[in-house]
Structures are given as C-alpha cells and as structure tokens.
Amino acid sequence: MIDLRFSEAELEQRREHITGFIRDRVDAASADGAVIGLSGGIDSTLTANLSVEALGAENVHGLVLPATVSSEENMSDAELVAQNLEIPYDVIEVEPIVDSLLAAYPEAEGDREAVGNARARARAVLNYLVANHEDRLVVGTGNRSEAAVGYFTKYGDGAVDCHPIGNLYKGQVRQLARHVGVSEELAAKTATAELWADQTDEDELGVSYDVLDSILATHIDGPLSIAATARLLEVDEATVDRVRGMYERSEHKRTAPPAPDPLD
C-alpha cells in the first residue's frame, strides 16, 4: 500500500484548515452553532472534536440516535464522546420512527437494505429537526473514501450542510484523530454504519480501508491505470476494477439531482 500519512506539520495544517472551515460555514449561514450525529465511530468523534475546537462546546449539540441494531458499546462510546467534550447531547430512539414507516408500507418489512437506509434517513430528519429548532447547521461526518465509493445513504448520512472531514481518506481520519487527542481505542475501532445487525464497513465494501484508500489515491484521484495500480499495490486487477465500478455507479450520490437542459 502507499503511504498517505501526513507529517506532524501537515496534521496541524489540516486541523487549522478544518476548524476554520467549520467556523466559516456557520458564520456564512448566520447560524448559532452545529448539530452532529454521534455514532461512537471515529468519523463522528473527530468531527465533534474539531467542531468544539472551532465553535466552543456550548455551540455544538450532539445527537445519539440508537436503533435496535445499534450495539451498546457504540452508543456508550457516543455518549462518552459528548461527555468528554462537555457538549449538550440528547439520546433519541430511531426505531419507533422506522416502525411507523413500516406500518405505513409493510411490504418493505424484511428488506435489509431498504430498512437500513430508512434508519439513516430517520436520523437525518432528527438532525434537521433539532438544527432547525435551534438555528444551527447539521455538520456531516462523511470522509473522502466513503464518498468516493458511495458508501453512505443518499439523503441519510449524506443529508448535511457541510462535510468538514470530506477531504480526508479513512486512514487520514484516524491519524488526525490521534493528533487531536482521541483515544487509541476509538481511533483504531472497527468501522460500522450499523444499518443492520453485525454490519462492518470493510465486510460490506469487500476491501480493507488501507487498500481502498490506496486505490482511490492512485487510480480514482490519481493518474494510474487499473493495471498499473494493481501492480503498484500488489492487488488483483479485479479489486481495482470493482472499486472503479463502485465509484462510477455512485456518481448520482455526489451530485445534485439532474434536470433536463434548458430548451433554446
């Protein structure tokens, strides 16, 4: 794999750049702060830390949004992050909202992907309910790796006002988190979207984040062909091709909904 790690000086530059970005987005919207969904994972943990640094703890509202498939460990970690940062937070159960959706459309019962995405979209609705009520922005927690392959729910965790860590590959997220003082236990934690039971990101993606980051940096964001990327990284061409396919199929998630071109 290729080394995408930052130097100490670069880490501090990223830290200052991202905190400045958060402040600028909130100021530009004349908002009173930020709302962040806390999952107990490294992405939301780093985003919360940087948002507190940018805005002050009193101006960051955390939401812990458990569902029946959420692990007690992750929800406990999410609350611990809020407590350690001394930000106000609320715990709101998501499953009653999902149950009401399935009661309205029972045909989707048992469809793991549809129900899992409904959970993500229910969380987005709650984020915006609180943000609108408090005149805040919803600050997203998506990273560059997951955005590139569409590993997020459209109008779910992708429904936010800004993505402060959206320019960082997953490995860089972990590195910056360590730099700002996040515990090693959280920084090295197995990533999961928890849309259904026992889900992990890498199992669902079918590739480790180290491999994914390297393929994205050299082939998707970089100039190398599939064959050259496979040789450099010592992986199968089929793996590179599959990542390429995920990138191309998920383009609709990264762009605004299309409309026809205007008539002359």
Side-chain angles (χ1 to χ4, degrees):
M1 299 305 103
I2 63 172
D3 188 357
L4 296 171
R5 290 175 298 177
F6 297 123
S7 67
E8 285 299 309
E10 288 172 331
L11 284 168
E12 195 56 32
Q13 288 174 347
R14 269 40 178 208
R15 180 181 193 165
E16 293 176 3
H17 182 60
I18 293 171
T19 54
F21 169 83
I22 294 169
R23 280 193 297 271
D24 289 346
R25 299 307 300 176
V26 171
D27 288 346
S30 299
D32 291 335
V35 169
I36 301 176
L38 300 174
S39 68
I42 191 56
D43 296 325
S44 67
T45 298
L46 174 59
T47 303
N49 273 264
L50 294 172
S51 295
V52 167
E53 188 173 328
L55 305 172
E58 70 279 8
N59 296 314
V60 178
H61 189 154
L63 293 182
V64 180
L65 304 170
T68 56
V69 296
S70 303
S71 72
E72 290 186 14
E73 176 188 1
N74 283 336
M75 294 303 95
S76 176
D77 285 345
E79 290 197 62
L80 187 61
V81 167
Q83 292 164 5
N84 287 342
L85 291 173
E86 299 182 342
I87 64 173
Y89 74 97
D90 290 293
V91 179
I92 307 173
E93 294 286 342
V94 169
E95 213 64 24
I97 298 173
V98 178
D99 289 343
S100 68
L101 293 173
L102 292 174
Y105 189 71
E107 289 87 346
E109 185 77 48
D111 185 331
R112 188 176 69 170
E113 184 173 348
V115 175
N117 284 327
R119 290 189 179 101
R121 293 183 177 115
R123 291 183 175 115
V125 169
L126 288 167
N127 285 338
Y128 271 100
L129 177 66
V130 175
N132 289 167
H133 177 65
E134 297 182 345
D135 196 19
R136 299 173 186 254
L137 294 186
V138 176
V139 172
T141 63
N143 61 61
R144 184 173 184 172
S145 303
E146 290 159 10
V149 293
Y151 192 67
F152 61 93
T153 298
K154 193 173 185 178
Y155 307 125
D157 46 332
V160 297
D161 292 309
C162 62
H163 275 304
I165 62 170
N167 60 354
L168 301 179
Y169 296 114
K170 187 72 170 191
Q172 295 170 337
V173 170
R174 296 189 191 279
Q175 189 190 10
L176 184 57
R178 294 181 176 101
H179 179 73
V180 303
V182 173
S183 71
E184 181 61 25
E185 182 179 6
L186 284 178
K189 188 176 180 180
T190 299
T192 172
E194 286 202 316
L195 297 183
W196 51 80
D198 301 320
Q199 179 192 32
T200 70
D201 292 1
E202 292 184 335
D203 282 347
E204 191 175 359
L205 287 167
V207 63
S208 72
Y209 273 112
D210 285 344
V211 173
L212 176 61
D213 288 355
S214 294
I215 292 173
L216 293 174
T218 54
H219 175 58
I220 302 300
D221 297 331
L224 296 188
S225 66
I226 289 176
T229 299
R231 286 196 301 271
L232 176 67
L233 303 181
E234 298 182 342
V235 300
D236 293 336
E237 287 190 25
T239 300
V240 183
D241 188 56
R242 187 156 55 83
V243 171
R244 181 78 198 181
M246 288 190 286
Y247 169 75
E248 291 176 349
R249 289 191 300 273
S250 62
E251 181 182 2
H252 68 98
K253 291 186 173 186
R254 295 184 295 272
T255 57
D261 292 333
L263 295 175
D264 294 333

